[in-house]
Each structure stands twice: as structure tokens, then as C-alpha cells.
Amino acid sequence: MLDKKVTELINVQINKEFYSAYLYLNFANFYKSKGLDGFSNWYMVQAQEEKDHAMLYLKYLQNNNEEVILDVVEKPAISMEKLIDPLKAGLAHEEYVTDLINTIYDAAQNVKDFRTMQFLDWFIKEQGEEETNSHELITKMELFGTDPKGLYMLDNELKGRVYTPPSLII
């Protein structure tokens, strides 16, 4: 049986991961409307990853005989005018998610819940990758995004991203 606070935080995290998927679908739609299919693809893959993250947390609670509480997923309310806006909002969101995961880890550590801490290790590593990817996209957009040829090449690069399901065993 998991600590009550840890269980509550993981249930919140499930909702936040589903919100992340909605947010990234919103970004994908924005880029699709701008004719940037590669950027759209990149965020479609992101959305799938976030949905799977939610499902991993959900399965973790189920495997520990804890109640899963699904909450309402908010509609994303991010203003997007410039092509870089979703990228910057995405980085800020990933930093927020990192903080949420660190909060769960801290709660688990306080009650010496080593199994949950080990489970969260994968997500902590994943968040480092997510933040790095977000930084790199912003850097590339700042370098090449104002040049039509550069933007075209960057968009084509992002078309090549494919979804790879997480290999985390819970």
C-alpha cells in the first residue's frame, strides 16, 4: 500500500500528463494550420508520449492496489501567434512537469517509499531529455526559423520523428 500523499500526487500527475497530451495536440494543430507538417508531427509524437506517461502512472497505481482518480482535463489556454510561441510554452510546461515529478519523488523519499522512487527515476531521466529537446528546438528556431529555407529544412527534419513507446516495466 502506498502512502496516501504519494497516491494523491500520482493521481494528480495522471491528469497533468493527459493535459500535456492535449497541450501538444493543440500545438500540433497550430503548426498544421501554418503548413508546418514537420512541427505538427513532432508535437503529435509528443502527445502520444504524454498519453503513455499517464498510462504508466495509472498502471503503477493499479499494480499497487490504489484507486485511480481521473479528473477533468483542462482545455489548453496558450496564446500562439508567432511560430516560436508553442516551443517556448512547451519548454515552460516541461519544466513545470519536472517540478511535479520532483514533488512526488520528495514525498516518496520522506516516507522511504523506495519502490516509487525507483519507478520515478525513469521519469526524471525522461524529463531531462524533454527539457533538452525543447531547448534545442527553440535554439534551432531562433537560428533558422526566420529564414524560409532554414524553416523549410527544419520542418523537414521534424517530419522524420517517429513514436517509440516507453520501455519502462512497472
Side-chain angles (χ1 to χ4, degrees):
M1 188 167 191
L2 298 179
D3 177 75
K4 182 180 176 183
K5 179 70 174 173
V6 170
T7 300
E8 287 173 7
L9 289 170
I10 292 173
N11 269 308
V12 167
Q13 191 65 30
I14 292 168
N15 179 266
K16 298 300 183 185
E17 296 291 342
F18 280 127
Y19 172 81
S20 297
Y22 271 40
L23 180 66
Y24 293 147
L25 285 173
N26 197 37
F27 292 174
N29 290 332
F30 171 78
Y31 284 120
K32 187 74 171 173
S33 74
K34 302 294 183 192
L36 295 170
D37 293 343
F39 281 86
S40 180
N41 174 66
W42 201 88
Y43 277 110
M44 291 295 284
V45 170
Q46 278 300 109
Q48 184 65 42
E49 279 188 9
E50 303 304 341
K51 181 193 76 76
D52 281 355
H53 293 171
M55 297 304 291
L56 289 169
Y57 284 108
L58 185 145
K59 189 70 174 166
Y60 183 75
L61 287 182
Q62 289 176 339
N63 287 347
N64 284 281
N65 298 312
E66 295 294 340
E67 182 182 10
V68 174
I69 300 170
L70 299 176
D71 204 352
V72 173
V73 178
E74 291 181 38
K75 178 181 176 181
I78 303 287
S79 175
M80 296 177 286
E81 296 174 17
K82 298 177 187 169
L83 294 178
I84 201 163
D85 290 345
L87 303 179
K88 288 185 175 181
L91 173 59
H93 184 72
E94 289 299 340
E95 291 170 341
Y96 169 69
V97 170
T98 297
D99 188 52
L100 292 170
I101 294 168
N102 289 342
T103 299
I104 302 169
Y105 195 97
D106 185 55
Q109 190 173 38
N110 286 338
V111 295
K112 297 183 179 183
D113 181 353
F114 302 112
R115 183 176 38 191
T116 298
M117 290 163 58
Q118 183 179 21
F119 169 71
L120 293 171
D121 284 342
W122 182 87
F123 289 98
I124 292 168
K125 181 178 179 271
E126 175 73 7
Q127 282 308 117
E129 292 172 10
E130 297 288 0
E131 288 182 25
T132 297
N133 290 339
S134 294
H135 277 290
E136 287 176 357
L137 270 178
I138 290 169
T139 299
K140 287 179 180 181
M141 180 62 93
E142 289 173 344
L143 288 171
F144 311 117
T146 57
D147 172 57
K149 289 179 187 174
L151 181 60
Y152 177 79
M153 290 176 69
L154 181 55
D155 189 55
N156 276 330
E157 176 186 321
L158 297 177
K159 282 181 187 175
R161 185 175 189 210
V162 295
Y163 179 67
T164 306
S167 58
L168 178 66
I169 298 173
I170 49 175

